[in-house]
Amino acid sequence: MIRVKNPQDFWAGLLFLVVGCLALWFGRNYAFGTATKMGPGYLPTVLSWGLVLIGAFLSLRAFALKGPAIERSLIRPQVFILLAIVVFGLLIERVGLAPAIVVVTVVAAIASREMRWRETLAVAVGLAALCVGLFIYLLGQPLTTWTWNF
Amino acid sequence: MDILHNLAIGFGAAATPLNLLFCLFGCLIGTLIGVLPGIGPIATIAMLLPVTFGLSPLGALIMLAGIYYGAQYGGSTTAILVNLPGESSSVVTCIDGYRMAQRGRAGAALAIAAVGSFFAGCVGTVLIAAFAPILATFAEQFRSPEYFSLMLFGLVAAVVLAHGSVVKAVAMIVLGLLIGLAGTDTQSGVARFTFGIPELYDGVDFVPVAMGLFGFAEIMSNLDRGGDQPTITARITSLWPNREEIRRAIPAVLRGTSIGSFLGLLPGGGAVLSSFAAYTLEKKVSRYAAEFGKGAVEGVAGPESANNAGAQTSFIPLLTLGIPSTPVMALMMGAMTIQGIAPGTAIITERPLLFWGMIASMWIGNLMLVVINLPLIGIWVTLLKVPYRVLFPSILVFCCVGAFSINNSTFLIFMMAGFALLGYVFHKLGCEGAPFLLGFVLGPLMEENLRRSMVLSFGDPSIFVQRPISLAILLLTLGLVLLIVAPQFRQTREEAFQEET
């Protein structure tokens, strides 16, 4: 029976293969040009094909050569870390720097199972004060401390 | 003595109160992130890039450089005291450093690491001062074919020196090059892979990519492992090594410095590779081979000198050729571009104050670091008690605010989240982020030089082998490729990295 002996390589290869195909698809209208006068599509096309070939090679080789398994993944930390970044992006222009930081710190802290509410809130407020002081007052970045734009 | 004259100018520029303050600030931050496991110089420099907007060019570069070599000092503290690498370049220091600490020689190990690093830092600085101008003069003959060949050499070297699978490293470079090409094509004006998003017309911004791939992906992987809390068992009694330890450390420091200075020059080399190579070398040449793994002085002195020497000399390719050889140097290049300085051969002649000022600041910074790390060691030990559950939300917030303040764009934040996910997936699949980042930075430069070469030669690719310098570089590249294929080298390469796992 054919089995994947190297899951890391297999999935990595598949990822490269898919990205390569996507790049070929989205870049299909960029002019290729000639060697003397390379068009905007020349190098992207060459690189995309390279990615497709390497990806296919990696995936196929994974059936033959043994390799390490993929380490286990926890759902909670990954979801909350990514969520925290997205929440920052959604909030920063709507509520301003200080409230955004407080919310983001709390969301991020939930990613760890060892999270403690009181400690997290203290860190959140401290970080908000520090960032307002550093970025707005010291560095003069064009950010607002708080606002309400919904 | 031209160098002395130039260095005098440099010290004049670097020793202004404000620049000394930037240097101290950079060294302090560097030591801090070096001590703390879970945050490295790449994420930190990316985080602080937007902050350097308002500084003078020299001040900005002095501070950012200080972070990088400061991290090499701080990393050893954690390695020796808690058996955790504070920095990836201190991984091998754990092996013997921690054992020394368990035997009650923590203070001696710390002192040897710091003094060895200082010596290596001084040598590295002198090497930059002596050789960078020569190399830059030589590089003035370079035209686009030479630059293209040189970048190709850099990418191949990055593959050879990367950890893990060669095929995956090649794929990461190709992917990096491809994503680096996104944005408006400079010649035809065609917007490539921009999907109508205005933020992408100028290309994918470097900072969110670096933060996502290195800062966030690292946090996510750490949390997967449960983020165990470091426990400090060793007590520091005296910082003075005994005579026997000094006698054994000196040759190891010298060897570590030489190997680090050389490997730092190579693309993809830098501090991490230097420390691994130095440890392997010490183990091979030492008369006390049996002691390795049980607290051999050489196992601390060699790698710790090597990583600092490598950190210093890795500035040479950037300052002379304008080609970043490691992700950290790619960030330094970003900092220069923000300040309106084009990295390359012209820096030394056109901005002597900047170039020599930066070199002088490295020496000053190394001196500061010895003081920061030895007498003040207690402060850093206290910092190690900050739990990770407090640390990682803080890192996350700083990265977000930093990325947003680049140009007040929420799109960059969402893109950063995307690269964080990508970086995490790469990590799980055993793909290294460093080759990706190198490809990403070099992509547009390579395309431009390739195009120009082809215009020069009317489409004849033999231009790369007809020009002697370009041919020499390509032959070197070919040699590297043969090295990868040669089974004997593959074995040593795997051995060199096996200490880590």
Side-chain angles (χ1 to χ4, degrees), chain B residues 111-166:
Chain B
I112 287 171
V115 175
S117 295
F118 176 67
F119 175 77
C122 293
V123 172
T125 310
V126 170
L127 285 178
I128 303 180
F131 288 112
I134 301 172
L135 203 61
T137 323
F138 178 64
E140 273 167 14
Q141 305 168 32
F142 285 20
R143 295 292 171 267
S144 39
E146 281 78 24
Y147 275 111
F148 180 80
S149 304
L150 199 64
M151 289 181 213
L152 197 68
F153 171 77
L155 292 181
V156 171
V159 170
V160 179
L161 304 176
H163 308 202
S165 155
V166 169

Side-chain angles (χ1 to χ4, degrees), chain A residues 71-89:
Chain A
E71 275 175 49
R72 87 199 154 93
S73 224
L74 302 176
I75 305 283
R76 174 171 165 168
Q78 322 318 335
V79 168
F80 280 96
I81 292 292
L82 292 176
L83 191 68
I85 309 174
V86 172
V87 165
F88 182 85

